[in-house]
Amino acid sequence: MAVRKITEYPEEVLGKVGQPVTEFGEGLRALCADMFETMYDAEGVGLAAPQIGLNLRLFVMDCEGIKLTAANPEIVSTEGEQSGQEGCLSVGKVPAVLVRPQKARLRAQDENGTWFELDAEGYAARAFLHETDHCDGKLFIDHLPKLRRDMVIKRFKKEKRWD
Ligand SMILES: [Zn+2]
């Protein structure tokens, strides 16, 4: 296992629609082990493949008791509304308030290629939505009004320079 380098805004791969995962088994398990290690090392609750530079529809998460690998994820349905802070490892965890559905149902394949569906609400539903967005080449800041989006990017760049 190894901690991978996290790609950051505005690297191109973060804006690309991911390619479907077609190979399951040993190689994918090894990749997901690296993704979990990278996510824990960065103290995140979710990490998608584009965030380690791979143009793939794949994410891992460990959030509010839901620990899973999701290949070829899609959001089947959503319900309600929640307003809360969200951040992203690829944007330096700079937080912004974002309204998301309160509940979400995820459909995806596990590391062996078996399809599953899972419901979550609150913060875990937010993680489903955030990570599935990554697989579609979308960042959480893309949901923000332009002014607030620019503010997050500005703060991220400023903090980076101070590293
Ligand atoms: Zn993210």
Side-chain angles (χ1 to χ4, degrees), residues 51 88-89 130-131 134:
Q51 294 183 278
C88 179
L89 296 176
H130 180 115
E131 301 308 330
H134 272 303

Side-chain angles (χ1 to χ4, degrees), residues 14 46-48 51 86-91 130-131 134 138-140:
L14 293 171
L47 185 82
Q51 294 183 278
E86 197 165 320
C88 179
L89 296 176
S90 294
V91 196
H130 180 115
E131 301 308 330
H134 272 303
K138 229 184 281 172
L139 295 174
F140 84 105

Side-chain angles (χ1 to χ4, degrees), residues 44-110:
V45 297
L47 185 82
Q51 294 183 278
I52 54 164
L54 301 173
N55 182 32
L56 267 183
R57 305 186 67 77
L58 176 70
F59 74 76
V60 299
M61 73 176 253
D62 188 350
C63 178
E64 296 200 319
I66 298 180
K67 182 179 176 181
L68 56 77
T69 293
N72 304 318
E74 46 188 288
I75 300 297
V76 182
S77 61
T78 59
E79 206 185 305
E81 202 177 272
Q82 60 170 316
S83 178
Q85 293 234 337
E86 197 165 320
C88 179
L89 296 176
S90 294
V91 196
K93 294 188 193 169
V94 175
V97 171
L98 181 60
V99 175
R100 294 270 202 187
Q102 169 64 14
K103 295 183 183 177
R105 169 172 287 198
L106 174 76
R107 181 172 187 268
Q109 285 168 285
D110 67 16

Side-chain angles (χ1 to χ4, degrees), residues 102-127:
Q102 169 64 14
K103 295 183 183 177
R105 169 172 287 198
L106 174 76
R107 181 172 187 268
Q109 285 168 285
D110 67 16
E111 292 176 7
N112 301 312
T114 306
W115 285 98
F116 65 91
E117 284 193 16
L118 193 64
D119 290 306
E121 55 184 299
Y123 196 44
R126 187 177 284 278

Side-chain angles (χ1 to χ4, degrees), residues 12-13 17 20 36 38 41 79 85 91 98 116 131 141 155:
E12 207 182 319
V13 66
V17 175
F36 272 112
T38 305
D41 181 69
E79 206 185 305
Q85 293 234 337
V91 196
L98 181 60
F116 65 91
E131 301 308 330
I141 52 174
R155 213 181 120 193

